[in-house]
Amino acid sequence: MQASKLKQAILSGGLDEALAGLYGAATQAERQRYAELVEKFIGTFGDRDVAIFSAPGRSEICGNHTDHNHGRVLACAVNLDILAVAAKNDDARIRVASVGFDAIDIDAAALSPDPAEQGDASAIVRGVAAGMAARGCPVGGFDAITVSRVPAGSGLSSSAAFEVILAKILDTLYGDGALDPTEAAKLSQAAERDFFGKPCGLMDQMACACGGFVAIDFADPASPAVERLSFDPAQHGYRLFVVNTGGSHANLTGDYAAVRAEMGAVARYFGKEALRDCDEAGFYANLPRIREKCGDRAALRAMHFFAENRRVERQEAAIRAGDIDAFLRVANESGDSSCMYLQNAYAIAHPAAQGVTLGIAAARHLLGGAGAARVHGGGFAGTMQAFVPEAMCEHFAEEMGKIFGKKAVYALDIRASGPCCLAW
């Protein structure tokens, strides 16, 4: 659809059904948000035939740092999203102008990793295009403009949302529109790992690509088992919150890499690739030798993995049984283990900056034994997560806002869909 006509259609309610499916209601604020992005596209790239897309951020519910060692996770897509307006071009360039970030311009035919791009968003664009090409999708040029409500560096997977929306754009403009969510997640992970240079697991991309509330088992990482669960904490009188406690993930690649490396060192002690393949009883029987070979922190992080993997199973069972109290107990246990054993509540190089730990402590104080609070996502900086009784939500948001800023407190809804094209 021509961009100017799409803008008019949005403002006149032509996308209301699609918007209501994503946000619960097609409010004037959402119409205006979409229309403004189309107008930015026109101002940047001209009034051309365009498609408009949305992809969600995600919240990890349980399974902190288990995915990269072939463990289990629970996660959900959330209503904070990234939008994109995109159009084909004829000059074989991929240009992405993201509001608030430097513009990206790459050759759509040059899809090998470029070491000079590591750590730059252009590497992700190139990596996603390379992944689509490897799966047989014709890759051509396109111009796109994006805007995101998923805060960068917050632990809500702004990078994964960006990756899966790029894959959706290419699949829509040049493919058959039927890219499997698992394949979208895997190629997005490869882009972040092999092109951008961040050693990440697959959970973020999988949750963003699948949408809804999902249980994921990475026992076979090449073909993870994904099951959608019918669960919403609101049905049990609780609201999901995340609080951006400050700090950026930008300079924490080494901290994340150390978690994976140390867990991997314990696995290799047993001649295995990942901790999921190791016997827990054998681990404890060999603990004195593991301390010598791998170090105390590696041993503690392995302890976290074994127990966290079981916690995912217990929390999934609580969901199936409709037992919200058991669900919340596991959430708190997960948070305690991340702080004590996994040790990803703060970066060891900056011990004075402990926003995540402070956020968990403040949240639990406010909740007074109700609800739950835990480390969220990669950790070391960024967000903490809380499940808050509906009657306490206003007070919780107000008090946490006093500590971290009003704009740092997010009450989230679970989004049913992954990346989608709303109009073309």
Side-chain angles (χ1 to χ4, degrees):
M1 183 183 297
Q2 188 175 0
S4 56
K5 292 181 179 179
L6 176 59
K7 177 185 174 183
Q8 185 178 8
I10 292 168
L11 292 174
S12 62
L15 261 64
D16 278 7
E17 184 176 351
L19 295 179
L22 294 181
Y23 309 109
T27 65
Q28 183 58 33
E30 291 298 345
R31 294 189 198 102
Q32 194 64 38
R33 177 176 173 236
Y34 275 72
E36 286 176 0
L37 189 63
V38 176
E39 184 60 37
K40 286 183 185 296
F41 181 94
I42 295 170
T44 305
F45 298 114
D47 191 3
R48 297 154 54 190
D49 285 338
V50 298
I52 191 163
F53 304 84
S54 167
R58 72 96 185 97
S59 183
E60 170 210 287
I61 304 300
C62 194
N64 198 218
H65 279 280
T66 55
D67 58 335
H68 49 65
N69 265 261
H70 304 181
R72 301 174 185 271
V73 300
L74 294 174
C76 65
V78 298
N79 57 326
L80 295 178
D81 62 351
I82 181 172
L83 305 183
V85 177
K88 285 184 175 181
N89 64 42
D90 298 323
D91 56 8
R93 306 294 300 183
I94 296 178
R95 303 182 186 90
V96 182
S98 297
V99 175
F101 297 90
D102 293 337
I104 297 166
D105 186 340
I106 70 165
D107 184 349
L111 300 181
S112 298
D114 182 352
E117 285 183 340
Q118 283 204 350
D120 189 84
S122 58
I124 288 178
V125 176
R126 195 181 305 277
V128 170
M132 292 296 291
R135 284 159 176 77
C137 176
V139 172
F142 68 85
D143 299 314
I145 189 160
T146 76
V147 66
S148 182
R149 277 185 178 164
V150 188
S154 68
L156 290 165
S157 294
S158 57
S159 58
F162 182 59
E163 290 152 10
V164 300
I165 205 169
L166 291 171
K168 186 66 176 179
I169 290 169
L170 283 166
D171 188 40
T172 301
L173 298 184
Y174 289 100
D176 59 8
L179 180 65
D180 179 78
T182 297
E183 290 302 306
K186 288 194 289 188
L187 72 88
S188 295
Q189 179 207 23
E192 189 163 341
R193 181 191 61 214
D194 302 334
F195 286 72
F196 185 79
K198 181 179 178 180
C200 62
L202 186 56
M203 185 266 289
D204 293 356
Q205 292 84 359
M206 191 67 77
C208 291
C210 291
F213 198 106
V214 291
I216 312 171
D217 188 341
F218 293 104
D220 178 3
S223 183
V226 182
E227 182 180 1
R228 289 179 68 109
L229 301 176
S230 178
F231 177 71
D232 188 334
Q235 297 170 348
H236 300 273
Y238 287 84
R239 192 78 186 271
L240 170 61
F241 276 81
V242 293
V243 180
N244 188 350
T245 66
S248 169
H249 288 175
N251 297 316
L252 296 173
T253 297
D255 294 278
Y256 299 131
V259 173
R260 187 169 187 166
E262 290 176 10
M263 287 185 181
V266 176
R268 288 191 297 276
Y269 174 87
F270 293 100
K272 302 295 185 181
E273 178 187 355
L275 285 174
R276 181 66 176 274
D277 303 319
C278 299
D279 176 64
E280 185 177 2
F283 164 80
Y284 281 101
N286 285 274
L287 189 53
R289 185 66 174 154
I290 290 170
R291 287 188 68 197
E292 295 176 9
K293 286 286 187 180
C294 307
D296 290 346
R297 191 172 68 172
L300 287 164
R301 284 173 164 169
M303 289 178 182
H304 167 82
F305 174 88
F306 291 125
E308 186 79 348
N309 218 36
R310 290 194 302 275
R311 277 189 285 269
V312 172
E313 293 183 280
R314 288 169 52 209
Q315 198 166 49
E316 183 178 345
I319 288 170
R320 295 184 188 281
D323 188 345
I324 190 65
D325 292 332
F327 174 92
L328 295 169
R329 282 196 299 272
V330 175
N332 277 325
E333 290 174 18
S334 173
D336 292 343
S337 182
S338 292
C339 289
M340 294 173 63
Y341 301 113
L342 183 59
Q343 299 181 36
N344 71 329
Y346 66 93
I348 195 170
H350 305 287
Q354 296 196 34
V356 172
T357 318
L358 179 63
I360 294 169
R364 290 187 179 181
H365 172 73
L366 288 169
L367 293 172
R374 63 186 287 274
V375 174
H376 180 253
F380 299 108
T383 56
M384 52 77 57
Q385 179 189 76
F387 292 92
V388 181
E390 288 286 357
M392 301 178 70
C393 284
E394 185 175 345
H395 178 67
F396 180 86
E398 181 181 355
E399 293 303 313
M400 293 298 280
K402 290 177 182 177
I403 302 170
F404 300 105
K406 288 183 178 180
K407 293 183 178 180
V409 183
Y410 300 90
L412 301 179
D413 295 317
I414 295 172
R415 167 167 155 163
S417 67
C420 57
C421 177
L422 286 79
W424 189 25

